[in-house]
Amino acid sequence: MRYFIELSYNGKAYHGWQNQPNAISVQEVLENALSTLLGESVAIVGAGRTDAGVHAKQIFAHFDTEQIVEKAQLVYKLNSFLPKDIAIHNVFKVKPDAHARFDAFSRSYLYRISLKKNAFNTEQAYFVKQQLDVEKMKEAAKILLNYKDFQCFSKVHTDVKTYNCDIKEAEFNIIEDELHFTIKADRFLRNMVRAIVGTLINIGVGKIEVTDMHQIIKSKNRGEAGYSVPAQGLYLTAVEYPDSIKIDD
């Protein structure tokens, strides 16, 4: 039987989601916990591969087992067993061919920019000292919706079949002393959101113009886009699936 796990994590202590040969990952910690509690070797597949230091407010993973899982009990045991920076929210049964990565039809990210120095959010947001022209950044963010090929924001030498992404939302909102950038798409390239935010900050501080965004995207050249902002401000906030993958029981 196949099950989905819904979880969240603080990514500070982890070298990303995916298993690494010489570094601790969220996937490894979760696989070890499941294997111990179920008494069998369990492999999990996640909805995405967040980079080192990136957080997830919502992410899903699937695993297979021959056992009939008492879902509420497994959630309780996992939360008791796992470290405090990983939280399990739900476990539910899905169809045998349901896939946590390939069946997701949208993913949403949040990037938090701190507009004032704050001693208590240095590990949750990115402090930008310069004054930002938020209106220009909002205008530039809208340009993203007019394009599909985002190779210019992708980490170089990434093994992908296409650089096309369908961005459905991209907007800024001021929340108290922070500027929040939210973006939703069917898929994202490696390092894409952090490169987009770095480019938008360059526009906000006046290094480049709003209209330069068109040429940057058309160039398909990572060197033309802005810097990659730090990982601690980035959160995977939502992953959406069709209801048809679930099994009622």
Side-chain angles (χ1 to χ4, degrees), residues 7 9 47-50 54-60 100 104-112 166-171 180-189 192-194 197 233-241:
L7 67 147
Y9 55 82
R49 302 175 182 178
T50 56
V54 174
H55 315 293
K57 290 189 174 184
Q58 183 189 58
I59 190 171
F60 294 86
F105 61 78
S106 78
R107 296 163 174 83
S108 300
Y109 281 91
L110 161 70
Y111 196 87
R112 293 171 55 187
D166 181 14
I167 297 180
K168 307 171 190 300
E169 299 173 12
E171 60 183 22
H180 288 189
F181 176 65
T182 54
I183 186 167
K184 179 179 180 178
D186 61 338
R187 63 190 290 266
F188 288 90
L189 305 167
M192 177 175 165
V193 180
R194 291 163 64 189
V197 175
L234 183 60
Y235 300 75
L236 175 61
T237 56
V239 185
E240 294 182 281
Y241 297 90

Side-chain angles (χ1 to χ4, degrees), residues 8-223:
S8 59
Y9 55 82
N10 182 318
K12 179 188 174 184
Y14 302 98
H15 200 77
W17 164 268
Q18 191 174 15
N19 285 335
Q20 304 288 330
N22 299 306
I24 192 72
S25 70
V26 178
Q27 182 181 15
E28 178 184 351
V29 173
L30 184 54
E31 284 181 341
N32 288 343
L34 277 169
S35 297
T36 299
L37 293 174
L38 296 178
E40 60 181 279
S41 180
V42 176
I44 63 172
V45 177
R49 302 175 182 178
T50 56
D51 290 334
V54 174
H55 315 293
K57 290 189 174 184
Q58 183 189 58
I59 190 171
F60 294 86
H62 74 249
F63 71 95
D64 296 328
T65 179
E66 296 295 330
Q67 301 181 40
I68 298 175
V69 172
E70 172 49 54
K71 292 171 288 186
Q73 188 177 39
L74 182 59
V75 170
Y76 176 80
K77 287 183 177 180
L78 281 170
N79 280 324
S80 300
F81 193 86
L82 288 164
K84 60 184 179 181
D85 49 12
I86 301 177
I88 306 299
H89 303 293
N90 195 11
V91 175
F92 54 93
K93 190 186 294 185
V94 294
K95 294 179 179 178
D97 60 348
H99 199 285
R101 181 182 175 190
F102 298 131
D103 282 338
F105 61 78
S106 78
R107 296 163 174 83
S108 300
Y109 281 91
L110 161 70
Y111 196 87
R112 293 171 55 187
I113 299 170
S114 182
L115 301 175
K116 291 185 178 180
K117 189 174 182 180
N118 185 334
F120 299 101
N121 74 351
T122 56
E123 295 175 355
Q124 289 81 39
Y126 172 45
F127 173 47
V128 176
K129 299 177 183 178
Q130 301 99 314
Q131 187 75 23
L132 294 173
D133 189 326
V134 177
E135 291 307 311
K136 284 188 176 181
M137 295 171 74
K138 288 181 177 181
E139 187 179 349
K142 291 179 182 177
I143 293 173
L144 295 167
L145 303 179
N146 299 322
Y147 293 90
K148 297 294 183 185
D149 188 325
F150 295 103
Q151 185 174 355
C152 68
F153 298 124
S154 174
K155 190 170 185 177
V156 294
H157 308 306
T158 299
D159 184 19
V160 292
K161 294 180 180 179
T162 176
Y163 292 97
N164 287 0
C165 304
D166 181 14
I167 297 180
K168 307 171 190 300
E169 299 173 12
E171 60 183 22
F172 283 98
N173 291 286
I174 295 178
I175 309 295
E176 297 181 346
D177 292 332
E178 291 187 359
L179 180 60
H180 288 189
F181 176 65
T182 54
I183 186 167
K184 179 179 180 178
D186 61 338
R187 63 190 290 266
F188 288 90
L189 305 167
R190 287 192 64 192
N191 208 238
M192 177 175 165
V193 180
R194 291 163 64 189
I196 287 175
V197 175
T199 304
L200 293 170
I201 288 175
N202 282 346
I203 290 171
V205 300
K207 285 187 176 180
I208 58 176
E209 298 299 321
V210 172
T211 53
D212 291 335
M213 181 65 91
H214 292 285
Q215 186 54 42
I216 289 169
I217 297 173
K218 291 176 182 177
S219 75
K220 302 184 181 182
N221 183 348
R222 179 66 185 89

